Amino acid sequence: MESDFDGRSMRERMLAGDLYIADDPELAEHMLRAMDLVEAFNATSARDPRERRRLLTELLGAVGEGTEIRPPLRVDYGGNIRIGARSFANFGLVALDVASITIGNDVQIGSYVQLMTPTHPVDPELRRAKWEAAKPITIGDNVWLGSGAIILAGVTIGENTVVGAGAVVTRDLPANVVAVGNPARVIRTIELDTA
């Protein structure tokens, strides 16, 4: 068991991917700030894209040019999410960014996709003591995540890959494949036209 007296703040431990306790005043303040911004973003009118963009830019770590996220959106902290240019997330994205979530350029995210970086110890005593951790998620350029897909902690998805609707991705997926199911498995390779 890791000590909670190693001199680092819980936020420092969280960002390092080490066990930490989420019920911490500094982390609570970061989360409340994110909740305020998410609430404002989710309440914006579709007729006010400038305000939506302003709020996303304030909430997220980075938002590329031409990227659109449709409300409702849910995040833990927001600042640990970086999304590239020309990407699109449909209604209901849940991106729990305890660890970093990096989304490439030209990514298509279907409705109600979940990007879940948090993990919890298997040891029941550590869970009872409220320790948790997280692992980053990386989504490559030009990936398509079908509606309802769930991407779990520590997963990297290679460029051009398609994840079928409702798939649960528990392990890394290479570039240029189609993966479906629970757990997601590769069912075919995407042949790229090099002409």
Side-chain angles (χ1 to χ4, degrees):
M1 178 174 152
E2 295 188 31
S3 168
D4 58 342
F5 301 105
D6 68 357
R8 293 182 293 163
S9 71
M10 288 298 156
R11 184 166 191 268
E12 289 169 329
R13 294 179 64 86
M14 179 188 84
L15 294 174
D18 295 330
L19 288 172
Y20 75 99
I21 294 180
D23 184 16
D24 172 79
E26 180 186 14
L27 290 175
E29 184 55 39
H30 283 276
M31 189 173 283
L32 287 171
R33 177 189 176 277
M35 288 180 173
D36 289 342
L37 289 167
V38 164
E39 184 177 332
F41 173 79
N42 289 338
T44 58
S45 169
R47 296 180 187 275
D48 195 355
R50 293 172 94 186
E51 179 63 2
R52 277 191 182 172
R53 180 68 183 197
R54 184 192 71 75
L55 289 164
L56 272 182
T57 300
E58 189 173 344
L59 173 65
L60 303 183
V63 184
E65 185 177 335
T67 287
E68 179 185 352
I69 298 176
R70 288 186 175 168
L73 168 67
R74 297 283 181 241
V75 302
D76 274 331
Y77 300 101
N80 298 325
I81 300 170
R82 305 183 75 75
I83 184 167
R86 302 170 306 281
S87 291
F88 174 77
N90 216 326
F91 305 110
L93 174 62
V94 175
L96 300 187
D97 63 318
V98 175
S100 66
I101 297 175
T102 304
I103 300 169
N105 298 319
D106 304 300
V107 173
Q108 298 293 309
I109 300 175
S111 56
Y112 300 101
V113 165
Q114 298 178 53
L115 306 175
M116 313 300 283
T117 68
T119 64
H120 298 277
V122 173
D123 181 308
E125 292 305 315
L126 289 175
R127 276 198 321 277
R128 186 172 290 116
K130 305 300 183 206
W131 288 100
E132 57 186 80
K135 296 178 184 174
I137 291 173
T138 303
I139 311 295
D141 292 343
N142 202 34
V143 166
W144 174 19
L145 302 177
S147 293
I150 300 172
I151 315 303
L152 296 183
V155 166
T156 295
I157 298 176
E159 66 181 12
N160 303 318
T161 286
V162 175
V163 175
V168 179
V169 183
T170 61
R171 297 173 194 240
D172 292 354
L173 293 174
N176 306 311
V177 298
V178 176
V180 300
N182 180 6
R185 67 191 189 294
V186 174
I187 59 167
R188 75 178 178 99
T189 299
I190 299 170
E191 300 299 328
L192 299 177
D193 183 13
T194 58

